[in-house]
Amino acid sequence: MIILSTQELQKSFGGDTVLRDISFALQKGERMGLTGVNGSGKTTLLRLLKGELSPDGGVLHINKDSSIGYLAQNNDIDESLRVMDAMLEVFQEVIALEKKIADLEQAMAAARDDASAIQLANSYHRLHEQYQQMEGYAYQGEILGVLKGLGFTEAQFERLVGSFSGGEKTRLSLAKLLLQKPDIILMDEPTNHLDLDAIAWLEAYLNDYKGTLIVISHDRYFLDHVCTSIGELIGGRMIKYSGNYTDYQKKRAITYEAELKAFQLQQKMIAREKAIIERYRSFNREKSIKAAESRQKRLDKVELLERPVDEKQIHFRFEARLRSGEEVLKVRDLSKSFEDRTLFSGICFDLRAGDRVALIGKNGVGKSTLFRILMHKLSADSGYAAFGTNVDPGYFDQHHKDLNPHKSVLDNVWDSFPRLQQHEVRGALGLFLFTGDEVFKPVSQLSGGERARVLLTKLMLRQNNLLLLDEPTNHLDADSREVLETALADYPGTILAISHDRYFINKFANKIFLMDEESITVYLGNYDDYLEKKNQPQAPAQEEGGLTRTELTRQKKRSREEKRKLKQLEQALQDCEQAILAAEARCAEIETLLADPDTYKDAALAEALRQEYAQEQDRQQSLFAQMETLEEEMISAQS
C-alpha cells in the first residue's frame, strides 16, 4: 500500500531552483535513504514532506491519518524539562488513563451497593483493556531501553535537558521521536553524535520498526543495513533505486552508462540528420528541398534526451616524500586526566610501516586527546609516545583548528607552502573543486565539507609518511568519501584514523584498535572482521609486541575475573526473569479479583488488593530495570 507519494514537486529560494521535478512513491514499511551532494536539496525535501515548507508546484499526497515524526539536524526538545519528563510527554494519554484506572479502583473500594460496584467494575475492565492495548505496562521500560540504547545513563535522567551538549540534545530529540512511533519517520543525519554502539542499536531498532522511514545520511554502512531503497537527488530531480546503498551504487553506475550511451547515440543521429538536411538544401532543387523539409519535420518531433548529470568529484592522491623505518610509533603507559576525571591510563600500542589502523571506542574515551598528545599539541600525564626513524606525521583535525577563518582558501594553503607558485597552489585546490574566485573566499564562509577539503589539500601537499586522521569523512558527501577511500588505498605510508564511518573503515583498515579507559585491544582485519571476532566467545587476536608483559598479565587476570562475574550475572539474570514471571502471574490473579464485583463487598480486602497490585507493578518495573542492567553488564563482560 502506498503511504506517501509526490508528483513533479518543485521548490525555489529566490532565483535558485533547488527541486524541479521530484516524483516518487513509498510503500508502507519501506525505508528509503536520501543521498546526493551537499546542497542538492535533501533537507528541503524532508521539510516539504513534514509541512514546514510549501511547494512551489507539484502534488504531495500522504495517507489520511498517517502521523509524521521529524528529526532535524537542530534539536527541538524543551530545554527546561528533566530528561525523564521530556520523554514522559510522549505518553500523556497513557498516564492520564493510569490516573483514571487508579481513581476507579478507589471508587470501587468505596462503593456502597452492588449496582454501583458492578457499573464501576465494568468501567474498570473496559479501561484496563484499553490500557493493555496501548501497552501501558511497557512505556517506562521503553523509555529506559531507548535512552540507554542511545548512550544515556540513569544518572542523567534527572538532569535538565538544557544542561546537555548540542550533540546530546540531538540524541534526546531522537529518543523522543522513536518513542512517539509515528507512521512515517523523517530523519536528517540521525547517526551524527552517536558512537558505534549507539548506531548499532539504532540500526536494530529501525529494522524492527513497522512504519515507513525516509533518512538522510552520509553513513553508507547505516544505509546498507537499514534501507530497502535509495533516492538520489541530482540536478533537482530524484532517481529512486530499489535495494540498499551497495545495490544503489551498482545500479547507479549501470544507469549512468546506459543514459550516457543513449544520449551520445542520439546526438550522433541528430548530427547525421542535420548534415543530410544541409546537403539536400545545398542542391537547391524543389525535390531535394522538399526532402530536406520532410526530414527536418521528423527531426523536430524527436524527444531530446538530456545529458545525464555527472556531479563533479574531487580527485587527488596521497604520496609519501620519505620512506619511514619499520617501527613507526611506540606508545607505552600513556595516561591523561582533566581535573578530577581520568580520561585514560596505561595505553600501550605499536604501529609498524604499512599499518592501516582504525581507532574506535566510545565517545569520550579520549581518542582525539590521544591524537593531540601524539602531535605534541597536548602533554600526557605519564608514559611516552615515540615516533620511529624518518617518520613524518600529518594530522587531520576534525575541528579544523589548523585553518585561519579570517584568511582566504588560497592563503590558508599558500601560507603553509610559501615556496610554491600561486598557479601550483591553485592547481592543488582545483583538484578539490576550488576554482575561479572560490579560492579567494574567506574560510569563515565555507561549509564543513569545504573546510575539510581545504585541510585535505594541505595534507596532500605535505606528502607525510604517517597520516593521523581524526574523523576525516565528517562533512564529506558520499562521492567525496569514496574518492578519499581510493586515495588512501593507493597511499604507500602508514595510517591511523579515528572514525565512526564503518563503511570507510571497511575500505581502508587492516587492523582495528579498540580503545577503552585502560587499554587498547588489537583486532586484525576491517570493521566486519572486528564484529565477527568481537561476537565470538574466544579472546580477540593480539598483536605481538603490541602490549607490555605487565599489561598481558593484567589482562589474563582480568579475563578470569570476568568469567566468574559472567557466571554470577547469568544466575542473577535467571533469578530476575523468574521473579518477573511470578510478579506477572500475581498481577493477573489480582486483576481477576478486582474485576469481580463481590470483591468490593469487603472494602478492606479490595483496598489491600489494590495496594498489592500497585506494589507488584512497581516490583515489575524495578525487575525490568534490573534485568536491563544485568543484560548490559553481561554484554560488557562478554566483549
Side-chain angles (χ1 to χ4, degrees):
M1 180 182 87
I2 294 177
I3 192 170
L4 181 152
S5 64
T6 67
Q7 293 179 333
E8 299 179 353
L9 214 60
Q10 301 170 24
K11 186 62 184 177
S12 298
F13 296 97
D16 183 17
T17 300
V18 179
L19 304 174
R20 64 181 73 250
D21 179 13
I22 303 298
S23 301
F24 70 95
L26 284 184
Q27 298 289 331
K28 184 177 181 180
E30 187 173 347
R31 300 189 295 271
M32 182 174 75
L34 277 183
T35 67
V37 298
N38 294 336
S40 60
K42 301 185 292 294
T43 299
T44 299
L45 177 57
L46 286 197
R47 295 181 66 194
L48 286 170
L49 299 179
K50 180 63 173 69
E52 289 187 0
L53 295 175
S54 299
D56 298 331
V59 178
L60 167 62
H61 174 74
I62 297 173
N63 272 14
K64 187 180 179 182
D65 300 327
S66 292
S67 57
I68 298 180
Y70 177 42
L71 177 73
Q73 291 189 41
N74 299 318
N75 73 84
D76 56 355
I77 194 166
D78 189 342
E79 296 190 4
S80 66
L81 296 175
R82 295 181 312 125
V83 168
M84 184 56 72
D85 290 337
M87 299 303 116
L88 287 172
E89 281 188 333
V90 176
F91 300 98
Q92 288 304 307
E93 189 177 350
V94 175
I95 293 170
L97 190 58
E98 274 185 340
K99 187 176 184 307
K100 288 181 181 179
I101 290 173
D103 291 344
L104 271 177
E105 289 172 353
Q106 291 181 0
M108 287 189 294
R112 296 182 178 179
D113 56 75
D114 290 348
S116 297
I118 291 171
Q119 184 178 3
L120 290 169
N122 289 336
S123 297
Y124 176 87
H125 185 68
R126 186 179 67 257
L127 289 180
H128 198 267
E129 281 188 346
Q130 184 182 349
Y131 187 73
Q132 288 182 317
Q133 289 172 358
M134 295 172 70
E135 298 182 342
Y137 294 114
Y139 76 88
Q140 292 185 0
E142 283 186 55
I143 292 174
L144 288 173
V146 169
L147 286 174
K148 288 183 177 180
L150 292 175
F152 292 98
T153 63
E154 290 193 38
Q156 294 175 307
F157 293 176
E158 298 303 313
R159 282 176 54 184
L160 293 178
V161 172
S163 68
F164 288 91
S165 67
E168 289 169 328
K169 290 173 188 173
T170 302
R171 278 193 282 144
L172 289 173
S173 294
L174 174 57
K176 190 171 182 180
L177 173 61
L178 296 178
L179 290 169
Q180 288 168 348
K181 298 179 182 176
D183 300 310
I184 302 171
I185 291 182
L186 310 176
M187 290 181 166
D188 196 345
E189 297 292 355
T191 60
N192 284 1
H193 313 295
L194 299 183
D195 61 24
L196 291 176
D197 289 341
I199 294 173
W201 178 90
L202 179 61
E203 286 173 355
Y205 187 98
L206 291 176
N207 280 322
D208 291 335
Y209 170 63
K210 304 302 179 185
T212 303
L213 172 69
I214 304 179
V215 56
I216 298 171
S217 181
H218 286 128
D219 187 333
R220 296 157 295 168
Y221 196 95
F222 177 83
L223 295 175
D224 249 357
H225 286 74
V226 170
C227 294
T228 57
S229 62
I230 300 292
E232 180 186 28
L233 288 177
I234 184 168
R237 294 179 171 84
M238 178 189 283
I239 304 173
K240 188 181 173 191
Y241 300 84
S242 60
N244 62 12
Y245 184 83
T246 298
D247 297 327
Y248 146 74
Q249 278 189 307
K250 296 174 183 175
K251 293 175 182 178
R252 176 200 195 195
I254 294 171
T255 299
Y256 176 79
E257 291 299 327
E259 290 179 348
L260 181 61
K261 185 174 182 180
F263 172 79
Q264 291 171 338
L265 287 174
Q266 188 184 65
Q267 290 299 304
K268 288 181 180 178
M269 181 274 291
I270 290 172
R272 186 171 60 251
E273 284 296 307
K274 285 182 176 180
I276 293 172
I277 290 168
E278 287 301 316
R279 189 163 63 250
Y280 278 174
R281 284 176 175 163
S282 69
F283 294 154
N284 201 23
R285 297 175 184 172
E286 183 178 353
K287 186 176 181 180
S288 63
I289 290 173
K290 285 184 179 180
E293 290 175 348
S294 176
R295 293 184 85 99
Q296 184 65 53
K297 287 179 181 178
R298 287 202 303 270
L299 185 59
D300 291 341
K301 292 179 182 179
V302 171
E303 186 175 346
L304 296 178
L305 299 175
E306 291 187 16
R307 185 183 187 92
V309 179
D310 184 17
E311 299 284 4
K312 291 191 294 182
Q313 292 186 356
I314 59 177
H315 178 72
F316 67 101
R317 59 180 297 173
F318 289 117
E319 295 178 350
R321 184 169 45 86
L322 298 173
R323 181 172 179 175
S324 71
E326 187 62 26
E327 291 187 356
V328 172
L329 176 63
K330 180 178 289 186
V331 175
R332 291 292 181 269
D333 297 319
L334 215 60
S335 67
K336 184 63 183 177
S337 299
F338 290 99
E339 296 178 354
D340 58 345
R341 182 193 171 199
T342 299
L343 204 58
F344 54 77
S345 63
I347 296 298
C348 304
F349 67 89
D350 290 333
L351 276 185
R352 304 187 73 81
D355 279 349
R356 314 169 77 78
V357 179
L359 179 63
I360 65 173
K362 291 184 177 181
N363 288 346
V365 77
K367 301 184 295 294
S368 294
T369 300
L370 173 62
F371 269 29
R372 294 183 67 200
I373 292 172
L374 296 179
M375 293 302 298
H376 305 295
K377 295 178 179 293
L378 199 63
S379 298
D381 295 337
S382 64
Y384 70 92
F387 291 112
T389 305
N390 289 334
V391 173
D392 177 25
Y395 175 46
F396 181 98
D397 175 15
Q398 65 163 315
H399 301 296
H400 310 154
K401 292 180 180 178
D402 288 343
L403 297 179
N404 187 329
H406 306 297
K407 290 190 174 184
S408 68
V409 171
L410 179 64
D411 287 340
N412 262 280
V413 178
W414 205 357
D415 286 352
S416 298
F417 304 94
R419 295 185 179 180
L420 294 180
Q421 299 296 316
Q422 186 185 101
H423 73 273
E424 293 176 308
V425 178
R426 295 193 67 164
L429 285 167
L431 296 176
F432 291 84
L433 306 184
F434 291 106
T435 59
D437 290 341
E438 290 176 345
V439 301
F440 302 114
K441 185 186 292 187
V443 164
S444 59
Q445 296 180 14
L446 300 183
S447 68
E450 289 170 328
R451 288 194 186 99
R453 296 197 329 250
V454 176
L455 277 180
L456 288 173
T457 305
K458 295 175 72 172
L459 204 58
M460 178 193 73
L461 290 171
R462 286 196 182 103
Q463 298 185 339
N464 308 102
N465 53 27
L466 167 62
L467 297 180
L468 300 176
L469 308 176
D470 190 355
E471 299 289 359
T473 61
N474 278 6
H475 309 295
L476 294 181
D477 58 46
D479 287 342
S480 297
R481 293 181 184 202
E482 289 169 14
V483 175
L484 175 60
E485 289 158 2
T486 301
L488 292 178
D490 297 331
Y491 174 60
T494 304
I495 303 170
L496 177 60
I498 300 168
S499 182
H500 287 98
D501 187 338
R502 296 158 295 169
Y503 200 98
F504 169 71
I505 294 172
N506 269 345
K507 287 289 187 178
F508 91 89
N510 58 24
K511 288 181 186 177
I512 304 292
F513 283 6
L514 177 62
M515 181 175 177
D516 59 29
E517 293 82 357
E518 296 180 347
S519 65
I520 282 181
T521 306
V522 180
Y523 294 81
L524 302 181
N526 61 14
Y527 185 79
D528 285 341
D529 297 325
Y530 152 75
L531 278 184
E532 182 180 351
K533 293 169 185 173
K534 181 174 179 286
N535 294 328
Q536 289 175 352
Q538 66 266 26
Q542 297 291 339
E543 183 187 21
E544 284 296 320
L547 300 172
T548 63
R549 187 173 300 174
T550 303
E551 181 62 21
L552 287 171
T553 304
R554 191 187 308 161
Q555 284 197 356
K556 288 177 182 178
K557 182 179 178 181
R558 190 184 304 145
S559 178
R560 291 194 297 270
E561 292 172 350
E562 286 173 351
K563 285 180 181 179
R564 287 197 298 270
K565 183 179 178 182
L566 188 59
K567 288 183 179 180
Q568 293 172 352
L569 287 171
E570 287 173 347
Q571 185 58 51
L573 188 60
Q574 290 177 7
D575 294 342
C576 193
E577 289 171 345
Q578 291 300 319
I580 288 172
L581 291 173
E584 288 176 339
R586 182 53 184 159
C587 278
E589 292 173 2
I590 296 172
E591 286 172 10
T592 302
L593 292 170
L594 289 174
D596 186 357
D598 290 338
T599 299
Y600 300 95
K601 293 178 181 179
D602 186 344
L605 174 62
E607 176 62 16
L609 287 171
R610 188 193 67 78
Q611 291 182 2
E612 184 183 356
Y613 186 81
Q615 291 170 357
E616 288 295 329
Q617 282 186 307
D618 290 341
R619 182 166 169 252
Q620 280 187 59
Q621 293 300 329
S622 176
L623 287 167
F624 275 121
Q626 182 182 345
M627 186 169 71
E628 288 179 358
T629 300
L630 289 169
E631 288 174 339
E632 287 181 354
E633 290 179 359
M634 281 189 66
I635 292 171
S636 177
Q638 290 170 338
S639 62

